[in-house]
């Protein structure tokens, strides 16, 4: 693995329009028809992946190991949300990100994501040369 390819400052973005299947009620994380926190977590993970995607070798991938997210405001169905991720620290295989999510009315969430760079085959438990 070539960890030196990763440096603080890289940015990534992910956006989506909130649909009925993205709500807290649909996801089982509540009973209201607004963007559910589990879907918001997936969106910030997507933004973090986008920040580093150009530098991840084909034999490698990153896996999420920690998410801290303050979901402070509701986003209704039909509104668009955008997650922005910024690499803030690189320590060996560990990549730290600050994340912010906004909708048409402003900031709705913020937090931190930690991802680890791993060898894809080893992570999936495959022996070299075996398919």
């Amino acid at each position: 693995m070539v960890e030196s390819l990763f440096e603080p400052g890289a940015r990534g973005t992910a956006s989506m329009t909130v649909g009925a299947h993205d709500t807290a009620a649909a996801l089982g994380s509540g009973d209201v028809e607004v963007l559910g926190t589990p879907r918001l977590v997936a969106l910030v993970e997507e933004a973090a992946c986008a920040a580093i995607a150009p530098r991840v070798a084909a034999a490698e991938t990153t896996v999420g190991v920690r998410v801290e997210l303050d979901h402070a405001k509701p986003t209704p169905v039909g509104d668009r949300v955008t997650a922005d991720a910024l690499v803030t620290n690189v320590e060996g295989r560990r990549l730290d990100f600050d994340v912010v999510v906004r909708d048409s009315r402003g900031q709705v969430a913020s937090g931190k994501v930690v991802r680890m760079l791993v060898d894809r085959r080893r992570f999936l438990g495959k022996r070299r040369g075996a398919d």
Side-chain angles (χ1 to χ4, degrees):
M1 289 183 225
V2 184
E3 292 90 11
S4 62
L5 292 176
F6 300 96
E7 296 179 0
R11 295 179 178 273
T13 300
S15 297
M16 61 172 280
T17 299
V18 179
H21 58 281
D22 301 310
T23 66
L27 295 168
S29 65
D31 61 2
V32 289
E33 299 294 329
V34 296
L35 178 62
T37 303
R39 184 61 183 97
L40 190 59
V41 168
L43 189 67
V44 299
E45 289 269 51
E46 184 180 346
C49 288
I52 57 170
R55 299 209 183 267
V56 177
E60 298 172 331
T61 191
T62 62
V63 294
V65 296
R66 184 174 182 89
V67 176
E68 295 177 30
L69 195 63
D70 294 319
H71 188 177
K73 296 182 181 175
T75 300
V77 171
D79 203 349
R80 187 150 184 86
V81 289
T82 300
D84 294 305
L86 170 67
V87 177
T88 57
N89 187 49
V90 177
E91 194 170 313
R93 297 180 304 114
R94 177 186 166 127
L95 305 165
D96 297 338
F97 303 81
D98 281 349
V99 293
V100 175
V101 182
R102 293 177 178 84
D103 67 12
S104 65
R105 295 172 297 164
Q107 185 171 314
V108 298
S110 63
K112 298 187 178 299
V113 170
V114 178
R115 297 189 66 80
M116 295 293 285
L117 183 66
V118 298
D119 178 275
R120 185 181 300 273
R121 291 183 75 111
R122 189 173 309 146
F123 182 77
L124 294 174
K126 294 183 179 178
R127 292 184 312 222
R128 294 187 191 274
D131 288 313

